[in-house]
Amino acid sequence: MTVEVLPNTGRHRWDDTWLTSLQSFPATGNFDLEAGAHGVLMVHNEDIVDAGGGFDTHRHRDVEIVTWVLEGSIEHRDSDGNCGLIGPGLVQRMSAGRGITHSERNASSRRDDITAHVVQMWLPPDADGREPGYAERDFTEDLSTGALVTVVSGRARDHDTDALDIGNRFVALHIARPGAGTTVELPAAPFGHLFVARGEVELLGPSPTPLAAGDAVRSVDEPALTVRAVTDAEILFWEMHASFDL
């Protein structure tokens, strides 16, 4: 059983003229995403996208991409005809399957000058060559209670819930917006990845660990973890029951 804290300042950073990307797993350049993964989470980028900036049409294959917007909005277009405007509270899942091209841009014009603040996460499917797919859902109302909400899942237990399906039966993404002073219990999992998107929290235990925005925690074979919000906060937690090493 292990718990590893990864401070905000230890993340890999990549800058472009319109993008600042803070990466919990180095993803830009010649990196082996599988070798650097935790569980099956290969990419976890916190991106600041300038108004008018974005990625032109490019191709993906056999990857599940989940996008969560903290501020601003992102416009998505893909070769299957899907278009989406993704803002805070709305989760997007794109399954590349046997191949898909897409573009994603800050939906704000340079005249409006609204920065987009985005968390994007990549995982493999549990089988290659599937049909591409796209889904999105607004969880704003669900998250207003402060409780942990399952927003994306491939787990059989979640098939009849509001969670978006994902092409990997070993994973689930949970999000919470706890108010100051409240606690959230995270599910036990062979592999866990906690990310503090906003605010300050404590990971409770014999010696509580303070965590600030941008900090992450990777756990292996841990029982349920408990987080207490020091300020109003927003957290993301990947529950994973597989890894590339298994």
Side-chain angles (χ1 to χ4, degrees):
M1 296 187 293
T2 63
V3 173
E4 179 186 7
V5 177
L6 293 95
N8 171 11
T9 53
R11 291 183 291 178
H12 179 77
R13 177 171 176 146
W14 186 73
D15 291 288
D16 200 346
T17 54
W18 52 268
L19 172 69
T20 297
S21 182
L22 300 170
Q23 303 173 352
S24 295
F25 307 91
T28 306
N30 296 319
F31 293 104
D32 185 336
L33 299 184
E34 180 177 324
H38 176 67
V40 289
L41 184 59
M42 303 184 296
V43 170
H44 195 291
N45 292 351
E46 182 181 5
D47 294 337
I48 308 299
V49 186
D50 290 346
F55 291 101
D56 294 329
T57 301
H58 56 286
R59 183 174 176 82
H60 291 286
R61 180 183 176 90
D62 292 324
V63 65
E64 303 287 318
I65 299 177
V66 177
T67 302
W68 178 250
V69 174
L70 300 175
E71 295 176 332
S73 58
I74 293 291
E75 181 184 60
H76 165 97
R77 295 180 182 274
D78 67 42
S79 53
D80 276 4
N82 299 301
C83 299
L85 191 65
I86 315 304
L90 192 149
V91 176
Q92 179 206 62
R93 185 269 299 152
M94 186 183 77
S95 300
R98 63 173 182 269
I100 196 169
T101 59
H102 81 131
S103 64
E104 48 192 343
R105 307 188 64 82
N106 185 336
S108 170
S109 68
R110 288 188 173 87
R111 176 179 297 176
D112 294 333
D113 195 26
I114 300 172
T115 298
H117 186 181
V118 186
V119 178
Q120 190 170 90
M121 300 151 280
W122 295 13
L123 306 95
D126 56 25
D128 290 344
R130 292 177 169 173
E131 289 286 328
Y134 177 90
E136 60 182 53
R137 182 166 293 151
D138 192 335
F139 287 92
T140 303
E141 185 175 348
D142 306 75
L143 291 166
S144 65
T145 66
L148 196 69
V149 178
T150 306
V151 299
V152 174
S153 180
R155 306 286 289 159
R157 66 169 192 232
D158 298 320
H159 285 175
D160 294 326
T161 71
D162 288 337
L164 294 183
D165 190 32
I166 192 170
N168 189 315
R169 66 186 183 276
F170 300 107
V171 305
L173 172 62
H174 312 274
I175 298 178
R177 291 174 173 168
T182 62
T183 60
V184 177
E185 184 172 288
L186 308 176
F191 302 91
H193 187 275
L194 167 67
F195 179 73
V196 182
R198 304 182 213 262
E200 298 177 7
V201 304
E202 286 183 327
L203 182 63
L204 298 184
S207 299
T209 303
L211 302 169
D215 291 344
V217 174
R218 297 177 191 172
S219 61
V220 178
D221 291 331
E222 283 293 320
L225 300 173
T226 302
V227 171
R228 184 180 74 86
V230 177
T231 68
D232 291 352
E234 186 168 319
I235 59 173
L236 288 71
F237 181 73
W238 278 101
E239 169 197 353
M240 297 174 282
H241 295 264
S243 78
F244 285 104
D245 295 329
L246 298 180

